[in-house]
Amino acid sequence: MAADATTTGGQPPYHRLSAAGLRDLAHGEGDGAVIAELLRAERSRRLLLLWALRNEVFRMGADLDGSDLFAQGWDLLERAQLHAPQVCEELLMSPNTGMWVSLAVRRVRGRAYEDAPHWVVMGHLAALAAAAAARAGLEFDITVPVRRGLVPLPTLGCAVLADPEPWGTARVTGHDGRLRITGVGGEVAVPADPARRERDWLPVRRMTLGAADRAKPLVLEELDPYRTFPHPSGANVLSPTEAAYWESSLAEAWEVLLRDDPETAEAMRQGLMSVAPAPVRERFRPHSSTAGDAFGGVTASRPDDVAQLAATLVHEFQHTKLGGLMHLESLCEETPDPAPSEALFYAPWRDDPRPLGGLLQGIYAFLGVTRFWRAHRHTADPAYAPLAHFEFALWRTQVWVTLNAVRGHGRLTSLGLYVVERLTERCAAWMADEVPTTPLRLAHDAAADHHARWRAHHLRPPAKAVEESVRAWQQGAPRPPSALAAEPLLVPEPEVRFSDSTAVLARYLLSDPDGAWRRPGGVDGADMAEVWLLCGEHNEARAAYTARLSGREAPVSAWSGLGRALAFDPAQQAASDLLLHYPERARSVQDAIERTTGRRADPVRLAAWLGA
């Protein structure tokens, strides 16, 4: 691999990433020049997908519902391309177009990702063509899909019709420089200035972050159905107040990035194209996403604060960069029908086990997050700095542990091995960075608790060893059988949630020490025992965890909590170590004891015995 499309020996053109670009990406970095290389490759990929879709649609002809709308759109798009190639280029490179064409190709090949009829999905090309023709000033008349009363014209805006049906069609007409949309629900005359918002016309919301040579154009995407991943969704029109909040937050986050992560900001100037707002989530549990097919697009929940938003943008843009690299060459080989233990891994940022490819994406994203917090903790407001130190310490630890878990893995390609080695070097240089005592301790506690919960939920000791352990316990043996220490089996539990509750509580403690989070129900998924433990009330926490684990239907997370509570009792060090490192043994043996005897063992005594 090393950037422009090249043709040799009559073969089709291919893209190579420059040696400097590959080196920068492998270290988790990459400036605007690297992004330009990835965008050139992404452009070719989009064109290939469009051509593949065209060939499939035209091959199926009248047998494919929506082929007529697609054909109209293709013809008009060709006209627009001749008159306004730059407009068509912007449409082609929109993240939403990338998402649509990828899903449309999958649709014609038998995989549906939305409930829209076939003709609505195929007819989206007509909507793209109508937007291109309107922006090019062409005279045209074309039929486009209507989605629940909305007529999206990508990069331009969205007409609102009083159409009661979920799916329909409308005519879009361009004449004398004016645009009209006519459907069952009436007619919309687009303003002469299409950026003006009216009752029945919603323009694409564009904004500029920064000014002069630091300016960054950005779309605040509310309208396009293909702005969300992995499924399209209806419009999410922001209220004036909400739009103002997003615009001011993004502007401030941009200034933070220019100061604290300038190379990433320069890369984003080239490659970040749109942010799609999503509803607010619980504090300290934001949600964001991007997709390899939607290069440059980010979906993000309403941010708690500016620094969190800046970290989110870094996180998702790391995914964008690695996705672009992986479109050129794979980082890991797919193994046909691997055993679960070989296919899935612990990811410290997830509740569930992850495949190797997904784990690499997480590593790459959180290395960028770690880099951001490493700088921001020194520039943040003094009241915010403890939280920033915590974020740096937590993600530095989690990335380091995960890198070492996959380093040299047999399924990594040569490129994958190279990237993992370079990322490991980068993270290693941060491990000696000093962090204040309290944030560092809280970060270590959060990391240990997350790992212990994951093991308790998803790992199982060999069944025969568990049976032998129950007999040994009943017979009063001094220690469990050695077979219990054999490699556990991975048995994923799909409904696990709130594995991050210790980290969330730590964030509250650092930012709002006397807040409502201290009361019952203050944080989803966290009970009062966790709050007591965090606040140093170790005896109360120990008693609560012991009582819960002695009763029926005890929460799995209580095993790690008990292990942390016992850590403050020197006489229970073996029990604490067992519950923090191998809680699946305590869970499995306790459950087996209950099945055998109808009663549950004292959890502290059991953990001490298992840890012997």
Side-chain angles (χ1 to χ4, degrees), residues 212-224:
D213 60 344
R214 296 157 68 90
K216 161 64 189 166
L218 188 71
V219 171
L220 195 57
E221 184 60 79
E222 312 162 85
L223 308 172
D224 196 297

Side-chain angles (χ1 to χ4, degrees), residues 262-317:
E263 185 172 287
T264 296
E266 181 57 35
M268 287 182 184
R269 198 192 307 275
Q270 289 271 355
L272 178 64
M273 302 172 198
S274 66
V275 173
V280 66
R281 303 263 295 212
E282 183 184 7
R283 190 179 178 196
F284 297 127
R285 281 182 170 136
H287 176 76
S288 61
S289 64
T290 188
D293 294 320
F295 192 109
V298 170
T299 298
S301 60
R302 192 182 199 268
D304 297 334
D305 55 60
V306 168
Q308 183 195 83
L309 178 56
T312 294
L313 294 177
V314 171
H315 176 121
E316 296 304 336
F317 200 69

Side-chain angles (χ1 to χ4, degrees), residues 1 132 157 182 185 279 306 443 531 559 561 565 608-609:
M1 266 190 39
T182 308
V306 168
V531 175
W559 287 110
W609 180 74

Side-chain angles (χ1 to χ4, degrees), residues 591-603:
D591 290 348
I593 289 173
E594 183 178 14
R595 287 194 303 270
T596 303
T597 67
R599 300 185 304 275
R600 292 175 71 82
D602 177 276

Side-chain angles (χ1 to χ4, degrees), residues 288-598:
S288 61
S289 64
T290 188
D293 294 320
F295 192 109
V298 170
T299 298
S301 60
R302 192 182 199 268
D304 297 334
D305 55 60
V306 168
Q308 183 195 83
L309 178 56
T312 294
L313 294 177
V314 171
H315 176 121
E316 296 304 336
F317 200 69
Q318 289 287 107
H319 282 308
T320 294
K321 291 190 299 185
L322 191 64
L325 176 61
M326 293 173 72
H327 281 164
L328 293 172
E329 188 171 332
S330 297
L331 299 186
C332 60
E333 298 171 351
E334 295 299 326
T335 302
D337 302 321
S341 59
E342 297 172 355
L344 298 174
F345 300 81
Y346 170 61
W349 34 82
R350 299 275 299 214
D351 292 318
D352 56 334
R354 297 291 289 159
L356 181 58
L359 190 65
L360 294 174
Q361 279 281 1
I363 290 171
Y364 201 80
F366 279 98
L367 183 122
V369 170
T370 306
R371 181 185 64 228
F372 168 77
W373 289 114
R374 181 174 185 255
H376 186 66
R377 64 200 180 112
H378 297 302
T379 63
D381 182 276
Y384 196 91
L387 180 58
H389 281 296
F390 168 82
E391 299 291 359
F392 168 67
L394 175 64
W395 298 122
R396 171 184 68 176
T397 298
Q398 304 294 47
V399 170
W400 178 250
V401 166
T402 314
L403 278 167
N404 282 282
V406 300
R407 196 175 183 186
H409 194 280
R411 283 176 47 211
L412 292 174
T413 63
S414 58
L415 177 62
L417 290 166
Y418 175 70
V419 169
V420 168
E421 284 300 314
R422 301 292 78 76
L423 295 179
T424 303
E425 290 174 2
R426 190 77 196 283
C427 191
W430 300 339
M431 296 306 293
D433 286 4
E434 291 189 3
V435 177
T437 301
T438 298
L440 183 63
R441 173 180 58 78
L442 291 172
H444 286 166
D445 287 349
D449 185 74
H450 189 282
H451 189 216
R453 290 184 189 222
W454 188 91
R455 289 188 67 101
H457 275 291
H458 301 297
L459 297 184
R460 300 288 182 275
K464 185 175 180 180
V466 171
E467 293 173 6
E468 292 174 3
S469 298
V470 172
R471 288 195 293 270
W473 170 262
Q474 291 176 310
Q475 294 165 5
R479 62 183 59 84
S482 59
L484 195 64
E487 187 70 21
L489 303 175
L490 179 63
V491 185
E493 290 185 357
E495 302 302 322
V496 178
R497 298 183 66 198
F498 305 126
S499 300
D500 64 343
S501 62
T502 297
V504 171
L505 288 171
R507 293 179 177 110
Y508 273 109
L509 180 67
L510 292 169
S511 61
D512 183 19
D514 299 316
W517 60 274
R518 286 177 172 266
R519 297 196 292 269
V523 174
D524 285 350
D527 60 24
M528 285 308 298
E530 290 183 73
V531 175
W532 292 331
L533 187 57
L534 183 72
C535 296
E537 300 171 22
H538 308 129
N539 291 334
E540 291 85 346
R542 173 176 172 172
Y545 284 126
T546 300
R548 299 196 74 177
L549 289 166
S550 298
R552 297 182 182 277
E553 299 183 0
V556 174
S557 61
W559 287 110
S560 62
L562 179 60
R564 291 171 58 214
L566 294 175
F568 296 93
D569 182 352
Q572 297 295 345
Q573 195 61 53
S576 175
D577 289 346
L578 182 283
L579 293 179
L580 289 176
H581 294 96
Y582 307 105
E584 70 277 7
R585 298 180 192 173
R587 179 195 177 183
S588 295
V589 173
Q590 176 77 300
D591 290 348
I593 289 173
E594 183 178 14
R595 287 194 303 270
T596 303
T597 67

Side-chain angles (χ1 to χ4, degrees), residues 225-239:
Y226 293 97
R227 73 190 184 283
T228 54
F229 332 113
H231 308 288
S233 59
N236 175 34
V237 181
L238 302 176
S239 69

